[in-house]
């Protein structure tokens, strides 16, 4: 569910017309709904709270990589949400947004020593170790600081899943995590070190997962490993279940519900007496955002192909070019008439700058406003200034009020970021 609805025929974000935002901010622009973020977090929090015996004092840690805007993070922080981070920059963003360090998890396959140092100094909740060599480096950094950070071993359970091969992270050939048959020995070695405190196991098998079976298989693998580690006399008090539950980009009605997802996790973890962590990203943010764009022109060819040329390009919304992602496109104010087939394209000088082929839409003309739905996750965070196009701005709506929460730079500001080499300056 989202809070982008039609009032008097035109699409609004909560109580704010998208037409008014386009006039004030320009296009393209991302627009986020506070009500949708709040509702989605509330659904997950309520589902988790219904299973205290199995899930303990569970942490919901938003995957910052999905949408790192400070105002989005601050909105979630006020609701009690934690953060799943994969870089020092994301940790700093979470802290700046008001998320306490003890509700921040630090993951990532390539943490530098400087990032590990920062995470230890900051006092994050736990550091998820993804390889034996990373454990050695974490121990060395912790020893140099006289610290003993809490850590978990991220397990690769050889259960890969997701909406595309490029967003699958738990398969045997994926770069993430420690193979399950090596994780036991690594956990035991960490337990012998005076410089780290292993507290649990973690996994994340992919993104946009549309069935519960692979997630349950991964969670059962964690359960089995927990029992084995405890049988060996080792302490396991936390299980980080990652994220990955899919959202209805195509309007599907048969996706697993949040309640069913959490109930499955509780069933698998029942009796272990662990604290669970959930790391949703897309689940909270995707349907909370749209990308607002304006039609530059409609190119019609003699063979009947019709190109809808938008002012938003792949630099603004990378997902379709990156992994063939689907986003519904809707006119902000639809015109009357028979639907037509359009190829949805942007202005970028790349053949991959195409959002969709043969999309059936109402009649659309130059100057019309359109919105890409479900764009709140992995949209603005992947945006760039390719082709020297200004970085797309972001707007947060709350009821009938709104604010620009990331500005569009001017061309002068873009150029001023690049000081010319001394020897190339004119006198």
């Amino acid at each position: 569910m989202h809070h982008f609805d039609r009032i008097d025929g035109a699409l609004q974000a909560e109580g704010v017309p998208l037409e008014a935002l386009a006039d004030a901010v320009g296009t393209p622009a991302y627009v986020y709904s506070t009500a949708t973020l709040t509702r989605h977090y509330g659904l997950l929090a309520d589902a988790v709270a219904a299973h205290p015996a199995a899930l303990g004092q569970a942490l919901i840690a938003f995957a910052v990589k999905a949408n790192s805007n400070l105002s989005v993070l601050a909105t979630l922080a006020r609701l009690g949400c934690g953060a799943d981070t994969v870089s020092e920059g994301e940790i700093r963003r979470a802290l700046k947004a008001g998320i306490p360090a003890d509700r921040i998890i630090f993951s990532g396959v390539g943490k530098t020593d400087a990032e590990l140092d920062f995470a230890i100094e900051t006092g994050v909740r736990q550091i998820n170790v993804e390889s034996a060599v990373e454990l050695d480096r974490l121990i060395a950094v912790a020893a140099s600081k006289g610290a003993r950070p809490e850590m978990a071993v991220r397990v690769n359970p050889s259960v890969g899943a997701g909406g595309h091969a490029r967003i699958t992270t738990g398969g045997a050939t994926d770069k993430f995590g420690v193979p399950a048959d090596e994780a036991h020995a690594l956990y035991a070695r960490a337990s012998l070190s005076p410089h780290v405190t292993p507290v649990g196991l973690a996994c994340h098998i992919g993104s946009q997962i549309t069935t519960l079976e692979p997630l349950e298989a991964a969670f059962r693998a964690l359960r089995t490993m927990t029992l084995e580690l405890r049988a060996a006399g080792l302490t396991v008090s936390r299980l980080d279940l990652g994220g990955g539950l899919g959202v209805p980009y195509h309007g599907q009605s048969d996706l697993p519900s949040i309640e069913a997802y959490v109930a499955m996790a509780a069933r698998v973890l029942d009796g272990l007496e662990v604290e669970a962590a959930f790391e949703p990203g897309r689940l909270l943010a995707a349907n909370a955002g749209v990308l607002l764009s304006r039609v530059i022109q409609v190119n019609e060819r003699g063979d009947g192909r019709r190109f809808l040329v938008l002012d938003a390009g792949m630099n603004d919304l990378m997902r379709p070019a990156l992994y063939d992602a689907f986003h519904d496109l809707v006119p902000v104010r639809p015109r009357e008439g028979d639907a037509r087939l359009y190829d949805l394209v942007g202005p970028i000088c790349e053949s991959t700058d195409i959002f969709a082929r043969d999309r059936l839409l109402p009649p659309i003309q130059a100057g019309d406003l359109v919105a890409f739905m479900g764009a709140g996750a992995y949209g603005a965070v992947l945006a760039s200034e390719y082709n020297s196009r200004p970085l797309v701005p972001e707007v947060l709506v709350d009821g009938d009020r709104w604010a620009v929460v990331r500005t569009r730079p001017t061309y002068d500001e873009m150029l001023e970021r690049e000081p010319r080499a001394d020897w190339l300056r004119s006198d």
Side-chain angles (χ1 to χ4, degrees):
M1 179 181 175
H2 56 71
H3 292 79
F4 296 92
D5 299 304
R6 294 194 183 281
I7 306 295
D8 296 329
L11 199 62
Q12 294 199 173
E14 300 187 28
V16 180
L18 290 182
E19 291 171 327
L21 290 178
D23 289 342
V25 181
T27 57
Y30 280 95
V31 181
Y32 306 128
S33 161
T34 296
T36 307
L37 289 167
T38 301
R39 181 179 187 275
H40 289 174
Y41 178 81
L43 288 173
L44 182 56
D46 289 347
V48 169
H51 302 277
L55 303 177
Q57 296 296 313
L59 173 68
I60 298 174
F62 177 67
V64 175
K65 62 181 176 289
N67 187 319
S68 63
N69 184 276
L70 285 175
S71 290
V72 169
L73 298 179
T75 298
L76 294 170
R78 291 186 176 186
L79 300 173
C81 193
D84 163 46
T85 62
V86 295
S87 70
E88 178 177 335
E90 288 192 350
I91 296 174
R92 289 181 180 273
R93 280 183 172 271
L95 293 169
K96 181 76 171 178
I99 298 174
D102 63 3
R103 298 181 70 78
I104 297 176
I105 295 171
F106 187 27
S107 303
V109 72
K111 310 176 194 73
T112 66
D113 286 359
E115 288 179 313
L116 292 172
D117 185 285
F118 178 79
I120 294 170
E121 187 71 27
T122 301
V124 300
R125 172 186 174 90
Q126 73 190 41
I127 298 172
N128 289 348
V129 169
E130 303 212 18
S131 66
V133 67
E134 183 180 73
L135 175 61
D136 291 338
R137 292 194 301 107
L138 175 60
I139 289 172
V141 173
S144 71
K145 299 178 68 64
R148 190 170 185 174
E150 294 185 340
M151 53 149 286
V153 173
R154 177 173 175 176
V155 180
N156 182 323
S158 296
V159 179
H164 191 280
R166 293 175 188 165
I167 52 175
T168 297
T169 59
T173 61
D174 292 320
K175 68 179 182 179
F176 302 95
V178 180
D181 58 357
E182 300 175 16
H184 188 129
L186 191 67
Y187 198 95
R189 181 153 69 84
S191 299
L192 295 175
S193 171
H195 304 298
V196 294
T197 302
V199 294
L201 302 170
C203 75
H204 176 70
I205 63 171
S207 191
Q208 188 55 18
I209 300 170
T210 56
T211 62
L212 293 182
E213 286 79 7
L215 290 163
E216 181 168 352
F219 298 169
R220 290 197 177 279
L222 291 186
R223 178 186 179 92
T224 298
M225 289 189 62
T226 298
L227 296 174
E228 291 173 349
L229 290 169
R230 287 177 174 174
L234 302 174
T235 299
V236 181
S237 59
R238 298 178 192 165
L239 289 182
D240 181 346
L241 304 179
L245 188 64
V247 300
Y249 287 114
H250 294 265
Q252 306 100 309
S253 59
D254 58 345
L255 294 181
S257 68
I258 289 175
E259 293 79 6
Y261 164 64
V262 174
M264 177 274 291
R267 184 175 67 252
V268 174
L269 271 54
D270 188 42
L272 287 182
E273 297 183 350
V274 294
E275 287 187 0
F278 296 87
E279 297 173 346
R282 187 189 315 273
L283 189 65
L284 301 188
N287 288 332
V290 302
L291 175 60
L292 186 59
S293 179
R294 194 178 294 277
V295 178
I296 297 174
Q297 61 194 32
V298 180
N299 296 346
E300 297 195 38
R301 291 184 175 172
D303 61 1
R305 187 161 293 277
R306 188 178 293 108
F307 293 92
L308 194 66
V309 185
L310 306 173
D311 65 0
M314 61 182 282
N315 69 300
D316 304 305
L317 180 60
M318 175 65 75
R319 296 187 69 251
L322 190 61
Y323 33 70
D324 304 318
F326 176 94
H327 286 275
D328 193 17
L329 183 87
V330 299
V332 170
R333 187 180 291 275
R335 295 178 179 275
E336 297 292 333
D338 295 334
R340 303 173 181 178
L341 292 175
Y342 296 90
D343 288 355
L344 312 181
V345 303
I348 299 297
C349 244
E350 297 282 350
S351 59
T352 53
D353 185 31
I354 180 165
F355 299 109
R357 293 279 190 192
D358 294 326
R359 188 71 63 86
L360 191 63
L361 297 169
I364 297 179
Q365 297 178 12
D368 287 357
L369 287 172
V370 294
F372 285 102
M373 307 302 292
Y378 304 102
V381 287
L382 287 170
S384 73
E385 292 181 346
Y386 185 48
N387 281 190
S388 291
R389 288 165 47 83
L391 195 63
V392 61
E394 297 169 90
V395 176
L396 180 66
V397 173
D398 184 10
D400 60 0
R401 59 184 178 176
W402 61 273
V404 176
V405 293
R406 184 174 75 180
T407 60
R408 190 193 318 272
T410 66
Y411 289 111
D412 285 343
E413 288 169 339
M414 293 168 62
L415 296 174
E416 286 169 2
R417 290 192 225 120
E418 302 176 24
R420 191 174 301 188
D422 291 344
W423 60 89
L424 296 176
R425 293 177 182 171
S426 58
D427 295 334

